[in-house]
Amino acid sequence: MAEKIDFKKATGSYRAKHGEFRILQVPAMHYLMIDGQGDPNLERTYTEALETIYPVAYKLKFASKQNGQDYVVPPLEGLWWADDMNSFTTERDKSKWSWTLMLMVPEWLNADDIQAAVEAAKSGRDLPSIERMRFELLDEGQCVQTLHLGSYDEEGPVLRKMHENFIVGHGLRLTGKHHEIYLGDPRKVAPDKLRTILRQPVESL
């Protein structure tokens, strides 16, 4: 039996340190993706996205294990954006946010595997956002990232420091969407113990 892969340990882009901003090249990776808009704490579409993406991801994992390649389901991730980025850093107006909920798919799995996992997941439960889910490559390239410890609502000062000090100070500018990787489960972990990788794609000025 092949060793179970934990991508949080095996992939450098899933590692970050608290209090440190790091410039790195993120490899292109495939994801299950579902788009939405609005406050994730209030919008039913966000909950429905979770209720859809996780069952499919676990069916993928179990099928891969049966074929001899086991892995830990990767952490939940999200892309976040708004017309005014101050809604992330100063205003924190979540009603203005748009988002893409994501789970990474290992490179040895393909669209046929995804479809089989969808059909298997459908047989056991309702998947309310399945019509909105897609399988897509994300190629972010050069990024800056750090590890945030604490509540999601306390990210603002860290993001301001990243955007206004570190990125500008290194002759870079923001290009892609703000990216978060959730290393803790808010249902099981106290807010002050949550660990979240904050990532921002950049390019040289």
Side-chain angles (χ1 to χ4, degrees):
M1 178 68 67
E3 181 180 356
K4 180 188 290 189
I5 298 175
D6 186 343
F7 294 100
K8 296 191 300 296
K9 299 177 181 178
T11 307
S13 56
Y14 281 113
R15 294 194 292 270
K17 292 182 179 180
H18 176 60
E20 173 186 287
F21 296 109
R22 178 166 68 106
I23 301 172
L24 71 159
Q25 284 292 131
V26 176
M29 291 183 280
H30 281 94
Y31 292 86
L32 301 176
M33 297 182 174
I34 301 176
D35 297 328
Q37 196 278 330
D39 188 336
N41 298 312
L42 301 175
E43 293 293 332
R44 176 62 187 163
T45 51
Y46 188 84
T47 303
E48 290 176 345
L50 290 173
E51 292 172 351
T52 300
I53 203 167
Y54 269 117
V56 175
Y58 275 96
K59 290 298 183 182
L60 269 178
K61 176 258 196 310
F62 293 140
S64 182
K65 180 180 180 179
Q66 289 179 337
N67 289 325
Q69 184 66 74
D70 196 8
Y71 64 94
V72 178
V73 172
L76 184 70
E77 307 185 38
L79 301 179
W80 301 87
W81 69 99
D83 292 336
D84 181 2
M85 288 302 289
N86 286 332
S87 64
F88 286 100
T89 57
T90 54
E91 298 174 15
R92 299 295 291 178
D93 186 351
K94 299 177 184 179
S95 67
K96 298 180 180 178
W97 296 0
S98 296
W99 44 265
T100 300
L101 204 62
M102 311 192 303
L103 277 170
M104 192 269 280
V105 175
E107 61 183 358
W108 61 84
L109 299 173
N110 57 38
D112 290 338
D113 297 312
I114 304 297
Q115 187 58 42
V118 168
E119 294 304 318
K122 277 183 176 180
S123 68
R125 62 189 300 167
D126 179 46
L127 303 177
S129 294
I130 196 61
E131 298 303 322
R132 296 191 291 120
M133 193 184 77
R134 65 188 188 278
F135 177 49
E136 188 171 296
L137 182 72
L138 178 64
D139 188 0
E140 294 176 295
Q142 184 175 225
C143 294
V144 173
Q145 70 183 34
T146 190
L147 180 67
H148 171 65
L149 300 180
S151 166
Y152 304 136
D153 289 331
E154 296 174 353
E155 292 175 2
V158 180
L159 293 175
R160 284 200 301 275
K161 187 178 293 186
M162 176 190 284
H163 294 174
E164 300 171 9
N165 296 344
F166 185 87
I167 290 176
V168 173
H170 283 76
L172 303 168
R173 63 184 171 198
L174 284 63
T175 55
K177 296 170 181 174
H178 171 65
H179 188 159
E180 298 190 353
I181 302 171
Y182 306 105
L183 303 179
D185 186 340
R187 299 169 301 177
K188 302 176 182 178
V189 179
D192 62 333
K193 301 295 185 183
L194 289 170
R195 299 164 61 247
T196 308
I197 293 177
L198 306 180
R199 176 185 296 167
Q200 176 60 53
V202 294
E203 64 182 8
S204 299
L205 293 172

